[in-house]
Amino acid sequence: VGLSVPEMRRDDPEQQKRAGLYELMEAAGDWYRGQLQSVGGADARAYLERRQVAPALLAQFGLGFAPDSRDALSKAMAAKFATLEPQQMLEAGLAGEAEQRRYDRFRGRLMFPIHDPRGRPVGFGGRALGDVEPKYLNSPEGPVFHKGRLLYNYHRAAPAARKAGRLLVVEGYMDVVGLAGAGVLEAVAPLGTALTEEQMQLAWKLVPEPVLAFDGDGAGMRAGLRAATRALP
């Protein structure tokens, strides 16, 4: 139609920053996976054994462990990336700050990497192993992590869902992992919140009629009703 194609600017600082955050997320995920197999990861491994999560599933979903340390991850990332700036750890949601003191956001938790639809690591969900609140802690909103626009396991479930013509939307990370262990690969989960319109649109891209399979308790029934009401328009 006579329009000139815009040039891709390779020196876009925002694009470079995002590329750097993806690399940092990948490295953090590798480190968490190593910690799961360490002496300190014994409680996390015991929990997974009780939930009958096979070693193959650990590898498939990249599960890891965040030790109960204020700065173990920060030190590991600083050692790996010579040019890492402390601000990057905050932007990636891997660290927090209070009273001008930095700390690792995830401590003493079983770690679930979260990816965008293209399969790039953008955040984490951490499950507490002790009597700690909140039971599940997600990465905060940031340059690459937008909770309401993501579905856990979407990039893995997409091929299976298209092939089966079915997509299950379940409540939590462990539901997705458990279904995969039973051979049901086409399952996704919202990230600890009510199903958003953006998440519904993602699901509808894969199949004409996604199936909501939330927990059978009162909270799960209310979540299903909210999702149905939100889907009607």
Side-chain angles (χ1 to χ4, degrees):
V1 294
L3 296 175
S4 59
V5 179
E7 291 184 28
M8 292 291 289
R9 290 186 59 84
R10 299 294 178 189
D11 56 348
D12 179 3
E14 280 299 311
Q15 186 64 38
Q16 289 179 355
K17 183 169 72 173
R18 285 196 293 273
L21 291 184
Y22 295 132
E23 187 180 11
L24 181 56
M25 293 288 193
E26 188 72 48
D30 290 342
W31 188 81
Y32 287 139
R33 283 190 286 277
Q35 294 302 305
L36 180 61
Q37 303 307 323
S38 71
V39 174
D43 287 347
R45 294 195 302 272
Y47 169 79
L48 291 167
E49 286 174 11
R50 288 196 301 273
R51 297 296 298 264
Q52 300 181 343
V53 178
L57 286 177
L58 297 184
Q60 181 180 344
F61 287 92
L63 303 189
F65 172 67
D68 193 8
S69 166
R70 189 179 181 87
D71 58 2
L73 174 68
S74 297
K75 286 180 177 177
M77 294 301 98
K80 182 174 178 63
F81 297 101
T83 58
L84 180 67
E85 299 175 7
Q87 186 64 24
Q88 288 179 284
M89 291 292 288
L90 292 173
E91 289 178 343
L94 298 171
E97 190 173 44
E99 298 176 358
Q100 299 185 326
R101 291 188 67 190
R102 298 279 170 89
Y103 56 88
D104 290 349
R105 178 176 177 83
F106 299 100
R107 303 183 301 279
R109 291 177 179 269
L110 178 65
M111 299 298 290
F112 298 81
I114 300 168
H115 300 76
D116 67 10
R118 293 168 59 180
R120 298 176 299 186
V122 294
F124 293 92
R127 187 197 191 283
L129 293 170
D131 189 16
V132 179
E133 292 295 334
K135 183 168 143 184
Y136 279 95
L137 179 68
N138 286 326
S139 294
E141 295 286 313
V144 297
F145 187 78
H146 306 286
K147 186 164 59 174
R149 303 180 202 166
L150 298 166
L151 285 167
Y152 177 67
N153 196 49
Y154 187 88
H155 68 298
R156 294 189 201 90
R162 292 189 183 102
K163 184 176 179 179
R166 176 181 70 174
L167 181 70
L168 299 181
V169 183
V170 295
E171 254 186 59
Y173 306 128
M174 285 302 299
D175 298 324
V176 172
V177 174
L179 282 167
V184 180
L185 305 179
E186 61 276 14
V188 297
L191 308 181
T193 60
L195 203 61
T196 66
E197 290 183 18
E198 291 93 339
Q199 289 168 334
M200 290 179 187
Q201 294 291 348
L202 277 176
W204 268 319
K205 280 183 180 179
L206 296 181
V207 294
E209 193 171 292
V211 177
L212 304 186
F214 296 149
D215 291 356
D217 58 13
M221 293 174 72
R222 286 191 296 274
L225 183 59
R226 279 199 304 270
T229 304
R230 184 168 289 168
L232 284 173

